[in-house]
Amino acid sequence: AFKQRDYNVRLKIIGDGKMSKYIEQKQKIFSGIFWYGRITDESQIKKHMEESHLSVNLGLTGLSIVHSFYYGLPYVTLAHSGHGPEIDYLIDSYNGIIGKDILDAFSRIKNLMSNQDKYEEMSLNAIKTMEQISHLNWYQQMDNSISSI
């Protein structure tokens, strides 16, 4: 659907797993799919994150939310009951999107792509969230609590 509407979208996939063969097949059909496999080197991950506008994980998620917020990327996932505790940092329509299903997530991504102000707001909110949950903020709160005793 993005292709039909002439969006300039690239899907960068980092990771490996059961869907590898499926992704390889789709890459042959859609030129905008780039699959990098498993990457553990943070300098390589950083390069991809800095070139991206969203981080999308439609499966169960956890620490990748925090990782994405560190780079100022709004996060997109689906509502599931099995997410890790980090899902509590993701606030729907504030620093990302929690879709009811794939069609809902897709529709909301399209809306976000056409609203630069909303995208920039979500990106800034991702950074703000990261600052709130960072170890430096936690340390400062602990230090203030101890000092007040």
Side-chain angles (χ1 to χ4, degrees), residues 35-144:
W35 179 38
Y36 300 94
R38 183 173 184 233
I39 300 176
T40 57
D41 180 351
E42 185 61 33
S43 65
Q44 288 181 340
I45 293 170
K46 177 182 179 183
K47 177 183 170 283
H48 291 294
M49 296 293 247
E50 288 176 343
E51 294 172 351
S52 299
H53 291 78
L54 293 172
S55 184
V56 180
N57 181 344
L58 301 179
L60 297 179
T61 189
L63 283 173
S64 59
I65 295 169
V66 176
H67 202 190
S68 298
F69 287 174
Y70 178 81
Y71 290 102
L73 296 178
Y75 198 86
V76 180
T77 193
L78 298 178
H80 290 289
S81 61
H83 288 304
E86 296 82 5
I87 192 69
D88 291 341
Y89 302 135
L90 179 57
I91 302 167
D92 193 28
S93 298
Y94 175 76
N95 53 18
I97 295 170
I98 303 174
K100 292 178 251 177
D101 54 38
I102 290 175
L103 292 176
D104 179 51
F106 178 71
S107 172
R108 293 175 65 196
I109 289 170
K110 286 194 314 186
N111 289 338
L112 188 60
M113 289 176 61
S114 63
N115 186 338
Q116 184 67 27
D117 290 339
K118 181 63 177 171
Y119 168 76
E120 289 175 6
E121 179 185 333
M122 264 194 195
S123 183
L124 287 173
N125 289 339
I127 293 168
K128 286 179 190 175
T129 302
M130 185 62 215
E131 290 170 350
Q132 291 170 350
I133 63 176
S134 76
H135 70 281
L136 296 175
N137 187 48
W138 179 85
Y139 173 80
Q140 186 62 49
Q141 290 173 347
M142 291 299 293
D143 189 48
N144 290 344

